[in-house]
Amino acid sequence: MATGEDKEKQALEEDWLDIEPKKDEQYQKVIDEMVKENVQLKDKIQKLEVELQEATKTAQIQEDIPEPNLKFTSLENPENYRQFSNTSCSFQLSCHLPYELQKGEALITFEEEEVAQHVIRMGKHHVQMQDAFVEITAKPVPLKSGLRFQVHVEVSKMKINVTEIPDELPESQMRDKLELSFSKSRYGGGEVERVEYDKQAGRAVITFVETGVADKILKNKDYPLYINQNCHRVVVSSYIETHLKKFQAFSGISKRTVLLTGLKDIEMMDEELVEDLINIHFQREKNGGGEVDVVKCSLSQPRMTYFQE
């Protein structure tokens, strides 16, 4: 006969055998759900990728192009007909004039020149800073001379630059080899008018007879150059000429900005508060002021400021 201990052991084994299949079923159910979710996610990803590709194909940027009013500026006689085919542009450049604003100084810019000049002529101004008045001196801003000039850039439609030319032939032979190579139509070349070759630098300037040849060659970044049955890939690029014109120096004078000195004794105050108090004082006509554009002060340390035309 089975003892009580054996019966208890047998009962536990039966319960465990009953639990194990249930756990396996639960695990399998979870796994099946995860697989199902993964399949659904993959389907969503594929649909989104298709939608993205369609949107990319049909997407267009629509923006109104401004129509500026253009005016005739000059008439020039070109040196030769090829200048008409070149792409050119020009820029007017002027440098920023730096001024180091020292501790205890401020700059105030008025909307009108007359107001700024009147403030300077008055010289001394007593500005209320909380419970006390501070004597401030108005002066012109001592700016250095500046520079302005024009940059003219011209991209040739007849010439190209060639670099990384191997040093394997005498100068005259390499010049002939370059002319022969760049005249081959199967590589996009055409009739060459002139070759300017610099043997030491390993570069050359090729001038073609007809327009359009340079553009064909420049569609690629390199060009095949065969020397003794070996193919070298030389680098080709646009031929750009840059000229500086109308180089002028001008006196740096700011007619609307005034230098204010005498703020060293209030360096512990908040700079923004001081700027507001200066603004309030010089906004009033009874103080000789007028409409203020901006106020900048330096109480704790020097600051670099910049002026431009």
Side-chain angles (χ1 to χ4, degrees), residues 74-196:
S74 63
L75 175 65
E76 296 182 1
N77 293 321
E79 295 179 1
N80 55 65
Y81 73 95
R82 291 175 181 173
Q83 283 189 253
F84 290 114
S85 61
N86 293 340
T87 302
S88 60
C89 58
S90 60
F91 308 92
Q92 176 76 36
L93 301 178
S94 59
C95 63
H96 289 183
L97 302 181
Y99 176 75
E100 187 174 6
L101 192 63
Q102 301 297 327
K103 291 174 58 176
E105 294 182 346
L107 293 173
I108 180 170
T109 301
F110 296 93
E111 291 187 359
E112 297 181 2
E113 294 180 8
E114 293 79 4
V115 176
Q117 299 307 310
H118 180 62
V119 168
I120 292 173
R121 287 193 296 268
M122 290 179 64
K124 303 291 184 181
H125 300 266
H126 293 86
V127 181
Q128 186 173 3
M129 298 288 178
Q130 294 181 336
D131 299 331
F133 283 89
V134 177
E135 185 178 88
I136 294 176
T137 303
K139 305 176 182 178
V141 184
L143 296 176
K144 297 180 180 180
S145 297
L147 297 173
R148 70 167 68 93
F149 53 90
Q150 290 182 356
V151 180
H152 292 258
V153 180
E154 189 170 277
V155 182
S156 176
K157 293 293 185 180
M158 310 293 292
K159 299 179 180 180
I160 62 170
N161 280 319
V162 183
T163 57
E164 298 186 16
I165 301 172
D167 187 11
E168 296 188 6
L169 294 175
E171 185 172 345
S172 59
Q173 292 185 23
M174 181 59 76
R175 189 180 293 107
D176 294 339
K177 180 64 71 174
L178 289 168
E179 180 177 351
L180 178 63
S181 178
F182 279 93
S183 63
K184 294 182 178 179
S185 59
R186 65 174 177 271
Y187 299 132
E191 185 179 353
V192 175
E193 179 180 295
R194 183 171 62 257
V195 176
E196 301 170 58

Side-chain angles (χ1 to χ4, degrees), residues 69 106 171 229 246 274 295 307-308:
N69 292 323
E171 185 172 345
Q229 297 182 345
K246 297 184 179 180
V274 173
V295 178
F307 291 76
Q308 66 180 16

Side-chain angles (χ1 to χ4, degrees), residues 8 19 23-24 28 30 42 57 68 74 86 98 103 148-149 153 185 188 196 235 246-247 266 287 292 303:
E8 185 176 354
I19 291 171
K23 284 187 176 180
D24 291 340
Q28 188 61 43
V30 171
K42 287 182 179 178
K57 291 179 180 178
S74 63
N86 293 340
K103 291 174 58 176
R148 70 167 68 93
F149 53 90
V153 180
S185 59
E196 301 170 58
V235 178
K246 297 184 179 180
F247 192 88
I266 58 171
N287 296 327
V292 175
R303 290 182 177 178

Side-chain angles (χ1 to χ4, degrees), residues 7 29 52 124 207 209 214 218 298-299:
K7 289 180 179 180
K29 186 177 180 181
L52 180 61
K124 303 291 184 181
T207 303
V209 174
L218 292 175
S298 177
L299 301 180

